[in-house]
């Protein structure tokens, strides 16, 4: 694909858009994010206040709290990365905290130009202090609803089960989550320590209960075990797979993902941080996209990975090698029916807004959707 160009003042020729103009264009893009964890996106100042008011043993200064919430760059493996979630989860054990953190995350995303976001969290992780499952889910729904009304961001929620939890508990979680379909909770996910609990079918009953109730299905896979684990995840018939960059190593699997229209929600910085790739620049995002594999581009965790979506978009162009038009095509595809978990009645106006924004920008004119 030819590099997009921009007219230079006083010069009839067209040169590649780069540097600060390119970054400003990326920053101005309306964005959609489909893979974002609530407990990995806690504001540092909020964490300080919650630790103080809840009596949680945690750093009491900004620098110390920041260091505690941001995972090592990189970690030795997924297990080390998951340790970074222990403190946020300890701070998120009451309805007020859950509602506030959800509200603030939507506000943070709005400031970065995100116009559609799907936020996922594991409700069973937030009942240790006595909060009921129902009240915890209701609090997150309330925070999302309030922030959406204030910012104009379209927000949808994904309930995440943990691989390490009892299958019966996850079945009950699926049944409880389904009662919130009319409050913006639209998806079902499975995450957690993949090496210790590699088979998603252990929680097959929960997947089926969620699907039967109308929840859309995604699953974390390939954070350990590479392409084989991504293929294994297809057994639960997901519409999307969270992560899965190792699929690039198996051409047959890539063809299957494409044929089945299963989207990989990729997070380059987080994948490097977890040790899945040797560097952000080495991430196979561009190769997967050019091979026709459906993908989206996401942060995974705003705080744990210390990155905004705009910064991840810049990385995708400047480090990984996407063109601006390829980046826009990936961004725009996240709003397609069958990719985003919102209803078509909500997605259509968003697509029109995105298309209207891009219509006057020559650098994006070469964008094409990849089926």
């Amino acid at each position: 694909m030819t590099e997009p160009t921009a007219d230079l003042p006083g010069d009839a020729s067209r040169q590649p858009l780069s540097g600060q103009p390119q970054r400003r264009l990326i920053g101005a893009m309306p964005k959609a994010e489909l893979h974002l964890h609530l407990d990995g996106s806690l504001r540092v100042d909020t964490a300080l206040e919650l630790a103080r008011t809840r009596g949680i043993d945690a750093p009491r200064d900004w620098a110390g709290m920041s260091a505690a919430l941001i995972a090592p760059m990189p970690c030795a493996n997924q297990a080390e990365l998951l340790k970074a979630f222990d403190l946020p989860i300890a701070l998120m054990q009451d309805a007020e905290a859950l509602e506030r953190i959800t509200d603030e995350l939507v506000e943070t995303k709005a400031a970065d130009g995100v116009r559609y976001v799907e936020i996922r969290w594991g409700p069973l992780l937030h009942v240790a202090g006595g909060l009921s499952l129902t009240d915890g889910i209701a609090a997150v729904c309330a925070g999302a609803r309030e922030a959406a009304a204030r910012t104009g961001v379209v927000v949808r929620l994904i309930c995440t089960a943990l691989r390490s939890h009892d299958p019966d508990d996850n079945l009950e979680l699926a049944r409880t989550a389904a009662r919130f379909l009319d409050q913006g909770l639209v998806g079902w996910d499975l995450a957690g320590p993949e090496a210790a609990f590699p088979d998603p079918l252990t929680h097959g009953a929960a997947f089926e209960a969620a699907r039967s109730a109308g929840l859309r299905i995604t699953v974390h896979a390939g954070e350990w075990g590479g392409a084989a684990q991504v293929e294994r995840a297809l057994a639960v018939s997901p519409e999307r797979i969270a992560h899965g960059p190792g699929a690039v190593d198996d051409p047959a699997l890539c063809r299957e993902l494409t044929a089945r229209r299963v989207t990989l929600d990729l997070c380059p910085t987080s994948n490097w941080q977890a040790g899945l790739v040797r560097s952000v620049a080495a991430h196979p995002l561009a190769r997967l996209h050019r091979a026709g594999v459906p993908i989206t581009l996401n942060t995974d965790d705003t705080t744990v990975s210390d990155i905004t979506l705009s910064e991840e978009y810049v990385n995708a162009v400047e480090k990984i090698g996407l063109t601006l038009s390829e980046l826009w095509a990936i961004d725009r595809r996240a709003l397609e029916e069958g990719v985003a978990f919102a209803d078509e009645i909500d997605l259509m106006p968003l697509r029109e807004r995105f298309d209207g924004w891009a219509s006057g920008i020559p650098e994006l004119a070469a964008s094409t959707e990849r089926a």
Side-chain angles (χ1 to χ4, degrees), residues 235-290:
V236 297
S237 300
E239 295 179 61
R240 304 202 317 253
I241 288 175
H243 302 300
V248 74
D249 297 325
D250 186 339
L253 174 60
C254 288
R255 289 192 294 271
E256 184 174 7
L257 293 169
T258 303
R260 293 174 60 164
R261 303 181 68 85
V262 176
T263 298
L264 299 180
D265 292 332
L266 299 175
C267 310
T269 295
S270 177
N271 291 164
W272 164 67
Q273 195 177 21
L276 300 188
V277 293
R278 67 178 183 274
S279 67
V280 173
H283 196 280
L285 180 145
R287 285 183 287 154
L288 286 162
H289 176 66
R290 290 166 187 166

Side-chain angles (χ1 to χ4, degrees), residues 285-310:
L285 180 145
R287 285 183 287 154
L288 286 162
H289 176 66
R290 290 166 187 166
V293 177
I295 66 168
T296 65
L297 178 57
N298 314 271
T299 62
D300 200 9
D301 305 288
T302 297
T303 305
V304 168
S305 294
D306 192 25
I307 194 165
T308 67
L309 190 56
S310 289

Side-chain angles (χ1 to χ4, degrees), residues 146-177:
E146 291 157 8
R150 187 173 68 253
T151 64
V153 176
V154 178
V155 184
R156 295 295 181 268
L157 301 170
I158 298 174
C159 179
T160 299
L162 273 292
R163 292 173 178 267
S164 54
H165 285 170
D166 187 282
D168 289 339
D169 291 339
N170 282 336
L171 177 58
E172 180 59 29
L173 175 62
R175 291 169 174 164
T176 304

